[in-house]
Every structure is written in structure tokens, then in C-alpha cells.
Amino acid sequence: QVIYRLDLHARPLQLCTMLRRFTILAAVSSSSKSLYVSSFVSASGPRRFGSSLSMKQIDSHLHVWASSDEASSSFPYAGDDQVPPKSIQDEATPEKLLERMEEAKVDGCLIVQPINHKFDHSYVSDAMRRYPDKFKGMLLHDPSLSPDMAVTRLEELVLAGFCGVRFNPYLWPEGKTMSEDGGNGLAVYKRCGELKVPVGVMCFKGLGLHLDDIEALISKSPDTTLILDHIGFCKLGDDETFEKLISLARHPNVVVKVSAMFRNTGEEDSYPYEKIREKRFGPLLAAFGAKRLMVGSDFPFVLETEGSYRGAISVVSEWVEGSDREAIMGGTAERLFGKWE
């Protein structure tokens, strides 16, 4: 048992920080019997979760962003270089997403903070507030902050209802790494381990470029759950890198999203992704097990692919059955991020 003493003579800012951390620690402690803490405090109040997995379908990876009208009036994009593609600019609002979810019989989604709004989380926060039974959020880490400020920002957003963190290694200054000793990435990653908040890593240019950095994160904070987006961006034809992904299965805290399969087809495959199933999904299932895999669509980008949103969800559902299907299609996500209720 750890006892935390509150210094009532601390400065106001220090006192607020201590109170905030005490609130988060109390929330974590109250759920200590669960392997993963679902969430802490949100506008709709504490969330409940249990040990049994539901049969809900949960999309573990997608984005929403402001429409052109919303961006002009209330939720601006992060800059002129962050305006979404014209073809889908107005197709990524929460309401548009809910229509697609209904068609695909998806019960809930994890919204990953889009680069289009960068570190302004107000649009995703608003979506979570308006549709708390449908949406949870994964925040985007800001590598420009000091370690202390980065941890404070993490705690603020966790208290606001976010239940995951995204590391985009391409946002770090050149020459800096996510796992650097004394850096803000490692500070946040370790704090996430304490809070039982998973960290997702986007290896957009290939897993091989970041494997050493990822291994270092895992070794320095083995209690933190690390999620690899989009099958680790291991495209068909790059079996050497895929074997490196498979090697990460030896770490029990590594989870893989079976998501954005259209980003991994190379020149070999297309919807309904039979070669992805054979050469990527099958080996992943054998190495990691269903409880460390989860389906994701990469909405709204998936809208421009054959099969669209509904197809991206249904093909994975058809690849598995029984308890494996229950885990991959929703159970793993609910175990990591909490129940969608």
C-alpha cells in the first residue's frame, strides 16, 4: 500500500497538480482488481466495467474531423497544410460516422485524434461528450512539451475521458526518439503504465525504422500496453519486417490492430484481402492470439476503398468465429479501453 501526502503549503499550481494526480490514482486504485483500467473520470461520470467480454462490435481505429463549415466557424484545422482531402473533407463528422456504424452494425468506436486538428482535442472531446455511449478517444502526444508539461497534459485529457495515447514518431524533432532517457515520450509512456492507459504507435513509414525505439520503450516500462497500428504497416512483400512484428509477440504487453488493410496490400492484394488474411492475419493470430488483436477501419480513409467501411469490418468478422471473433471484433478493445455502454 502506498500513502500519498498532500502538502497544503504548496503553491496553487502545485496543489492543483497533486489533487489531479490523486484523483487519477484513486480512480486507478478503485479498479485494481482488473487487468486493464477502462477509464477514469468523464463528463458523464465514472464508467463501469466488468471481467466478462461482450459481443459488441468495436472499431478500434478511426478519425473524425470538422467539416469545412465547422472548421470555418468553430473547430479550425491545425493549419493550411492540415486541411483534409477534399473528397472526404465533409465525410468525417461524428454524424457521418454514426451512419456508417449503423450500416455495419458497429456498436462503438475509438476515435484517434486526427493530425488535422493536431494537439487541439476539442473536436474529439465534443464528439465524446455528445455521444458518450458510442465514442471513446485516443489523444495525440505533443513531443514539443517538456516532460512535466507532457505528463500534466496527459493527466488532463485522461480526466476529460480519453483512454489511450497515440505516439506519432514523425512529430519528434529530428534526432530525437520516443524512448530517449529524460525525454517527454518516455515520461508519458511510463505514466501511461501507471495509469493503465495504452499507447498506440503509428509506424507510417514502416515498422523497421522504429523497431529499436519500440523495443526500448517496452524494456523501460514493461507495464505499459503498446499497440501497433495497421498491422505495423507491414505491407505484403515485406516479409522481413513482418517477421520483426511477429517477434514482438514475446512481449505480453504488445497488441496489434488489424486495421487499414488497404494500406498493407502492396501490389499483391485487394478487397476482400484474401492474401492479407493468409500472409498477415493468420500468422498474427497464431503468434499473438485473439486477445491481443483488434479490428479497426481507418475511417474515413477507408471510404475511398472497395468494400468501404462496412466491408472493412465484415471481412475480419468472417475470418474468425467463437471466442476469437468475440475478442478481435470487440472484446480486446473493451478490455483495453473499457466498456462501451
Side-chain angles (χ1 to χ4, degrees):
Q1 183 179 7
V2 179
I3 299 174
Y4 296 91
R5 184 178 63 187
L6 193 61
D7 184 0
L8 297 179
H9 297 287
R11 296 175 183 175
L13 180 59
Q14 293 174 320
L15 186 58
C16 288
T17 299
M18 285 187 285
L19 285 169
R20 180 171 60 250
R21 294 191 177 190
F22 178 79
T23 301
I24 297 173
L25 285 165
V28 173
S29 298
S30 68
S31 305
S32 60
K33 293 183 180 180
S34 176
L35 180 60
Y36 293 95
V37 174
S38 61
S39 59
F40 311 107
V41 179
S42 68
S44 58
R47 296 177 185 149
R48 301 181 302 276
F49 62 97
S51 58
S52 63
L53 299 179
S54 77
M55 292 299 293
K56 294 189 183 78
Q57 287 202 129
I58 305 298
D59 184 344
S60 73
H61 193 106
L62 52 75
H63 311 280
V64 297
W65 56 61
S67 66
S68 52
D69 287 343
E70 290 173 326
S72 298
S73 62
S74 305
F75 299 99
Y77 303 128
D80 292 340
D81 60 336
Q82 298 298 343
V83 176
K86 189 69 175 177
S87 58
I88 53 175
Q89 183 176 5
D90 293 332
E91 299 300 317
T93 64
E95 289 71 30
K96 292 283 189 178
L97 171 57
L98 287 167
E99 293 174 6
R100 301 288 181 167
M101 290 170 60
E102 185 174 2
E103 293 172 2
K105 296 182 172 57
V106 169
D107 300 290
C109 295
L110 180 71
I111 301 174
V112 179
Q113 171 71 9
I115 194 65
N116 313 86
H117 293 289
K118 217 160 187 182
F119 308 118
D120 178 357
H121 292 77
S122 58
Y123 191 75
V124 174
S125 295
D126 184 67
M128 292 162 57
R129 178 187 59 79
R130 291 190 291 123
Y131 304 104
D133 59 331
K134 294 294 184 182
F135 301 143
K136 296 180 185 290
M138 174 174 272
L139 66 94
L140 179 61
H141 169 67
D142 182 355
S144 71
L145 298 176
S146 69
D148 286 345
M149 286 301 298
V151 169
T152 296
R153 184 60 174 152
L154 162 69
E155 293 170 347
E156 290 171 349
L157 288 170
V158 166
L159 287 172
F162 285 81
C163 56
V165 177
R166 183 178 224 194
F167 276 12
N168 180 341
Y170 312 104
L171 295 176
W172 261 261
E174 187 174 356
K176 298 293 184 179
T177 62
M178 298 178 288
S179 63
E180 181 178 358
D181 290 330
N184 62 21
L186 184 57
V188 166
Y189 191 79
K190 287 183 174 181
R191 185 67 175 136
C192 284
E194 295 170 351
L195 298 178
K196 305 301 179 188
V197 171
V199 176
V201 181
M202 183 188 73
C203 302
F204 189 77
K205 297 180 182 180
L207 175 64
L209 295 175
H210 310 289
L211 188 63
D212 290 344
D213 205 9
I214 288 168
E215 291 273 18
L217 284 173
I218 294 169
S219 67
K220 292 175 181 180
S221 183
D223 291 334
T224 306
T225 297
L226 187 142
I227 301 169
L228 291 167
D229 297 344
H230 306 336
I231 318 179
F233 287 89
C234 294
K235 294 182 179 181
L236 291 174
D238 187 3
D239 292 340
E240 181 180 353
T241 300
F242 183 63
E243 286 303 315
K244 294 176 180 177
L245 172 59
I246 292 296
S247 74
L248 292 175
R250 71 187 189 279
H251 301 293
N253 59 326
V254 175
V255 177
V256 179
K257 288 183 179 179
V258 183
S259 55
M261 287 172 286
F262 63 91
R263 298 189 184 276
N264 291 288
T265 57
E267 300 297 324
E268 298 185 29
D269 202 10
S270 59
Y271 180 83
Y273 310 119
E274 285 303 318
K275 290 185 179 180
I276 290 281
R277 177 184 184 180
E278 174 190 352
K279 297 183 178 182
R280 293 293 180 263
F281 179 75
L284 282 172
L285 182 60
F288 285 85
K291 291 184 179 180
R292 291 200 283 154
L293 301 177
M294 51 187 167
V295 70
S297 68
D298 203 18
F299 172 94
F301 301 103
V302 72
L303 299 179
E304 299 193 298
T305 69
E306 186 180 357
S308 193
Y309 183 81
R310 184 174 182 176
I313 300 297
S314 65
V315 291
V316 179
S317 179
E318 292 166 3
W319 291 348
V320 283
E321 58 185 18
S323 60
D324 285 354
R325 180 185 182 277
E326 180 180 350
I328 293 169
M329 300 307 297
T332 300
E334 289 205 310
R335 179 169 61 85
L336 292 177
F337 304 113
K339 295 289 187 182
W340 272 256
E341 295 180 307

